Amino acid sequence: MKDNMITVQLLVIIFLFINLLLIITFFQKECFYTTTRYILFAVTLLSDSLMLFLSDVLAILTQFNIPIHVWLCVIICAVLLVYATVTPVTLTAMTLERYVAVCMPLHHGELCSTRNTINCILIIHALSSVPSIFILSTFFGSASLKFYTQYQLCSMEIYMIYLWQRHLRSAIYQLQFLIMCIILVFCYVKIMKVAKAASGEDKQSSRKGLRTVALHGFQLLLCVIQLWCPFIESTLFHIDFVVFHYVRYFNYIVFYLVPKCLSPLIYGLRDEIFFHALKSYLSFGFVCVRVRACRSDLNELVLKNNEPVGL
């Protein structure tokens, strides 16, 4: 149990560091925070990083059996519910952006302006709040006021008082992801038609857009699997607790932690402009560290010889 927790903490630290590195790189160049696809990419990075941090806090509290006030747990779980949906909805928006870039290039600059992108981010958060509003409103209508002052181990399961609430949560998520999958397939088919009809540089650009949409589809699939995990775990919880623990640990590592880091990293590395910016930033940081190390060694040498040397 403790070894598993140590492994999780190491992975969380590594993944948060990688995401932080990508976020810092995003703010290094003006072309990144003024371009729609990079802005949306940064939204997924921030969303995934927040999800990693909060879910890790809950994992630590659960591991060491530390109860907290239910009202505080409600706030944490509300944020988790919203941002669990922000990433897939943002991926859908990124897919639509590629569709506009490939199939409607003359309107891309107008539709994907910085102002429209900010409005798009607000719409993404509004749509992502819909499932949490439905799920938490059923809890607010079922729980008594005294329940909020109690201490409980924080988990989404404490909000599922009745079986119909679980079915409602499942139905909302499945409907939401069905709509996103339809949008993704529509964009993929449209871009594929343009790629077949295009020639030269246009054909190469269309194929790259096609691969990007396919990557978004893979990321969306991981998000769907992630949301199916609680239903599998809740079933195992009532059958065998030991199996439940190991399955939950496996799901958390494979379908929760890894996709939150690897998918953004792959997306960032396959983009040439972002990759070169990341590479130059890392190179600059490495050079700075080497220079500081050389200065430190030289200062030590000077102190030993008692010979002041000006740098």
Side-chain angles (χ1 to χ4, degrees):
M1 297 278 283
K2 291 183 179 179
D3 292 339
N4 292 347
M5 200 61 193
I6 293 172
T7 304
V8 168
Q9 295 311 305
L10 289 174
L11 289 173
V12 168
I13 292 170
I14 293 170
F15 293 164
L16 282 176
F17 174 76
I18 293 173
N19 282 7
L20 180 62
L21 189 62
L22 294 173
I23 292 169
I24 293 173
T25 304
F26 167 78
F27 286 105
Q28 293 301 308
K29 288 186 177 291
E30 186 180 352
C31 66
F32 291 150
Y33 52 82
T34 56
T35 306
T36 299
R37 61 188 173 122
Y38 294 119
I39 295 173
L40 294 177
F41 174 53
V43 170
T44 62
L45 288 174
L46 292 169
S47 172
D48 289 342
S49 298
L50 180 62
M51 285 283 293
L52 277 175
F53 175 74
L54 289 179
S55 64
D56 186 52
V57 170
L58 291 186
I60 293 172
L61 293 175
T62 304
Q63 176 67 32
F64 295 101
N65 293 320
I66 303 174
I68 61 174
H69 270 297
V70 171
W71 64 265
L72 179 59
C73 183
V74 168
I75 295 172
I76 295 173
C77 288
V79 174
L80 285 172
L81 279 170
V82 171
Y83 282 92
T85 317
V86 163
T87 296
V89 175
T90 306
L91 290 172
T92 307
M94 292 170 75
T95 301
L96 288 171
E97 187 274 334
R98 285 295 85 198
Y99 164 73
V100 173
V102 175
C103 301
M104 305 167 62
L106 298 178
H107 299 283
H108 183 263
E110 179 185 354
L111 293 174
C112 299
S113 63
T114 305
R115 183 177 180 180
N116 287 341
T117 304
I118 294 172
N119 292 333
C120 178
I121 293 171
L122 294 176
I123 293 170
I124 287 170
H125 282 77
L127 292 174
S128 302
S129 301
V130 172
S132 63
I133 291 172
F134 275 101
I135 292 169
L136 291 177
S137 61
T138 60
F139 169 73
F140 295 147
S142 305
S144 63
L145 292 175
K146 292 182 180 179
F147 186 68
Y148 297 102
T149 59
Q150 294 179 7
Y151 284 88
Q152 295 275 352
L153 285 176
C154 191
S155 171
M156 273 303 302
E157 300 306 315
I158 68 173
Y159 304 117
M160 303 292 111
I161 300 175
Y162 302 107
L163 184 61
W164 64 267
Q165 291 175 313
R166 298 178 189 273
H167 294 322
L168 178 63
R169 180 179 66 170
S170 175
I172 291 171
Y173 281 130
Q174 288 183 28
L175 177 62
Q176 189 179 43
F177 277 93
L178 177 63
I179 294 170
M180 287 188 282
C181 288
I182 290 171
I183 293 172
L184 191 138
V185 171
F186 169 79
C187 293
Y188 189 87
V189 171
K190 288 291 184 181
I191 294 174
M192 184 183 293
K193 288 181 179 179
V194 173
K196 288 182 178 180
S199 60
E201 293 183 1
D202 292 336
K203 192 176 186 68
Q204 186 178 1
S205 176
S206 300
R207 285 182 175 176
K208 187 175 181 181
L210 205 61
R211 290 194 296 270
T212 302
V213 173
L215 176 60
H216 292 334
F218 174 70
Q219 291 174 291
L220 198 60
L221 176 63
L222 292 176
C223 292
V224 173
I225 295 173
Q226 173 192 319
L227 291 174
W228 282 343
C229 289
F231 305 115
I232 299 171
E233 292 168 7
S234 61
T235 304
L236 289 174
F237 180 79
H238 297 94
I239 299 174
D240 191 326
F241 183 78
V242 176
V243 175
F244 159 78
H245 171 74
Y246 285 107
V247 169
R248 191 176 191 182
Y249 174 73
F250 175 81
N251 289 341
Y252 187 70
I253 297 291
V254 177
F255 299 122
Y256 201 91
L257 291 184
V258 175
K260 295 294 181 191
C261 176
L262 290 185
S263 295
L265 183 61
I266 292 170
Y267 186 85
L269 293 179
R270 70 185 296 273
D271 186 277
E272 293 180 7
I273 300 174
F274 197 89
F275 173 72
H276 287 302
L278 178 62
K279 187 178 178 181
S280 62
Y281 177 74
L282 289 173
S283 301
F284 177 75
F286 179 73
V287 169
C288 288
V289 171
R290 290 293 300 273
V291 169
R292 288 172 184 170
C294 290
R295 286 184 176 180
S296 177
D297 293 342
L298 187 55
N299 286 335
E300 289 179 5
L301 183 62
V302 169
L303 290 173
K304 286 180 181 179
N305 295 329
N306 291 321
E307 296 177 1
V309 176
L311 292 178

